[in-house]
Amino acid sequence: MPDGFEKMPMPKLAGNTHLKKTLRLIKSSPGYISGEEIARALRISRSAVWKQICRLRQEGFSIDARSGAGYRLLSLPDKVSAYEIAEGIETVSVGREIFYYASTESTNKVAKTRALNGAADGSVIIAEEQTRGRGRLDRNWLSPPGKNILLSIIFRPGIQPREVFSLTMLSSLGVIKAIESRCGLSASIKWPNDIYIGHLKTGGILTEFNAEQDRVDFAVVGIGLNVNFDPAGYPEIAGIATSLSRESGKEISRVSLVQAMLKEIDTLYTVFKRGGFSQIFVQWKACSMVIGKAVTVISQNRMEHGVVDSIREDGCLILQVENGGRKQIFSGDVSLRFQE
Ligand code: BT5
């Protein structure tokens, strides 16, 4: 796995309690709230309150300041900022720490660097824009700024390398559940790592890990999900991709969808760590769109045609090939195409 510490902008930490409390007070106040009232509630000085207001403005919150009246929230940022996400969710580990970037090369890259520096299990790196978003085998991941969900989760479950695909599976299941609950859409999983609606791709997962001998130190699960974006403007993917807004016909709140995703993934991850992967697998398999389908499996130097017989709990796909035999296909770097 590539290491190398990239130069990163200072992230905004979700754990900044003064900022969160200031926001909460301003949000819950029907009109203006005075600086004095905020200062008293937080036991900080008036100038410290002003600093919090300036930081919130930098985060994209539009806040009116009127002398003699105080502060009033005018509008929320259309951003997946750490504060907004952390505001509404309680989780065991996933999303307890959130690092937000307006723009970065790749959230997976930042996540790996942060993980090497000791970031906690469940830490999330989220960005509005990636300047070099990646799919598998260094393929491009396209996403205009501020429209979609681009995030990576650091997992430290203390597992063996052969179990890492379980993290991809539980994450994709969490994404499917969140799409269902927040957008009312039924999405499916195209083995090994794609999220589909109908026959079009709406999301992809890139899982990478760092292991020593037979123990995974950390894994990074990167999730790219098309939300309020029209792939029609991108000739490379126009015919193969869709987005949640296109499918549902309405704009979707990215913050609320990220919250739902992190909550679902956290619940599944907790079950996984307690040894309950079998029950996750049953649900994952029910969302799979490939079982029983005629497919072509493409790996770097081979093509294999057949019908998908089943997928095993370890993620291995069993392909019924044309001469009647069965082949085991491991998830590695293979792609799967449906036959006409
Ligand atoms: C994937 O790879 O589908 C995994 C994509 C993971 C992206 C996330 S974003 C957050 C994190 N940070 C990163 O840098 N990456 C992760 P793969 O199976 O190799 O599919 C890549 C292919 O999908 C490309 O070659 C295009 O054909 C297609 N594609 C690119 N952008 C797309 C999009 N926005 N929607 C649908 N398909 C897309």
Side-chain angles (χ1 to χ4, degrees):
M1 189 175 91
D3 47 12
F5 289 72
E6 63 169 356
K7 234 175 158 203
M8 288 180 287
M10 266 308 284
K12 313 282 192 295
L13 289 178
N16 185 325
T17 43
H18 283 158
L19 206 63
K20 280 205 284 196
K21 283 184 181 164
T22 307
L23 179 59
R24 206 170 295 152
L25 284 171
I26 295 182
K27 254 178 145 176
S28 62
S29 167
Y32 285 86
I33 178 167
S34 71
E36 203 179 318
E37 201 178 328
I38 301 173
R40 216 179 313 122
L42 270 66
R43 297 185 188 181
I44 57 175
S45 68
R46 295 273 299 272
S47 66
V49 171
W50 176 241
K51 267 192 205 150
Q52 307 305 318
I53 299 292
C54 292
R55 284 198 57 191
L56 286 169
R57 281 177 169 169
Q58 278 166 14
E59 279 285 303
F61 293 91
S62 168
I63 298 169
D64 185 35
R66 189 175 287 184
S67 66
Y71 305 107
R72 189 160 78 95
L73 184 63
L74 300 177
S75 67
L76 300 173
D78 178 30
K79 292 207 295 187
V80 281
S81 78
Y83 307 112
E84 281 294 300
I85 296 168
E87 229 350 67
I89 51 164
E90 289 286 325
T91 53
V92 179
S93 46
V94 177
R96 302 233 354 144
E97 189 117 46
I98 301 172
F99 301 96
Y100 169 81
Y101 294 82
S103 177
T104 190
E105 206 175 307
S106 149
T107 56
N108 263 40
K109 187 169 180 195
V110 177
K112 286 182 285 185
T113 308
R114 288 202 166 271
L116 288 168
N117 281 322
D121 185 28
S123 298
V124 168
I125 288 78
I126 187 159
E128 301 289 350
E129 176 188 34
Q130 296 183 130
T131 52
R132 204 173 162 267
R134 288 177 309 116
R136 296 175 307 149
L137 296 172
D138 222 21
R139 288 189 281 248
N140 228 354
W141 186 256
L142 296 166
S143 180
K147 296 283 181 196
N148 297 324
I149 293 174
L150 304 163
L151 65 82
S152 300
I153 307 171
I154 297 169
F155 290 110
R156 296 183 184 277
I159 54 174
Q160 295 187 352
R162 61 181 167 77
E163 296 173 272
V164 165
F165 191 60
S166 311
L167 297 171
T168 310
M169 291 203 222
L170 72 84
S171 300
S172 56
L173 180 60
V175 172
I176 299 272
K177 284 172 177 254
I179 292 175
E180 173 115 49
S181 74
R182 292 297 150 106
C183 316
L185 292 168
S186 170
S188 2
I189 299 163
K190 179 167 165 264
W191 182 94
N193 69 320
D194 290 339
I195 310 284
Y196 266 60
I197 296 187
H199 62 285
L200 297 171
K201 181 163 169 171
T202 194
I205 295 187
L206 173 66
T207 302
E208 298 174 278
F209 64 96
N210 207 7
E212 268 169 41
Q213 287 168 351
D214 60 353
R215 191 181 171 278
V216 173
D217 180 21
F218 63 83
V220 167
V221 173
I223 303 171
L225 191 62
N226 301 336
V227 186
N228 296 316
F229 147 72
D230 188 359
Y234 293 78
E236 306 97 297
I237 56 167
I240 55 161
T242 190
S243 70
L244 301 177
S245 67
R246 208 166 91 170
E247 295 298 322
S248 66
K250 54 178 195 263
E251 282 271 306
I252 284 149
S253 156
R254 289 183 303 147
V255 168
S256 134
L257 185 57
V258 170
Q259 287 174 332
M261 268 167 58
L262 298 183
K263 185 86 193 116
E264 295 286 1
I265 295 172
D266 184 66
T267 305
L268 294 166
Y269 185 48
T270 306
V271 172
F272 173 70
K273 284 199 287 191
R274 289 190 189 135
F277 183 67
S278 295
Q279 76 196 73
I280 295 171
F281 178 68
V282 172
Q283 297 176 60
W284 181 90
K285 208 168 157 186
C287 299
S288 168
M289 64 190 285
V290 304
I291 296 170
K293 299 275 164 55
V295 298
T296 302
V297 178
I298 305 149
S299 57
Q300 255 164 333
N301 44 19
R302 285 186 47 188
M303 288 233 267
E304 201 92 64
H305 305 288
V307 173
V308 179
D309 180 73
S310 61
I311 299 172
R312 279 197 328 234
E313 203 168 307
D314 64 358
C316 175
L317 181 138
I318 310 296
L319 190 71
Q320 182 94 47
V321 288
E322 275 149 13
N323 66 9
R326 281 159 181 241
K327 290 243 160 101
Q328 298 185 13
I329 318 267
F330 291 90
S331 59
D333 284 323
V334 291
S335 298
L336 197 139
R337 300 242 168 90
F338 291 109
Q339 287 173 21
E340 292 301 313

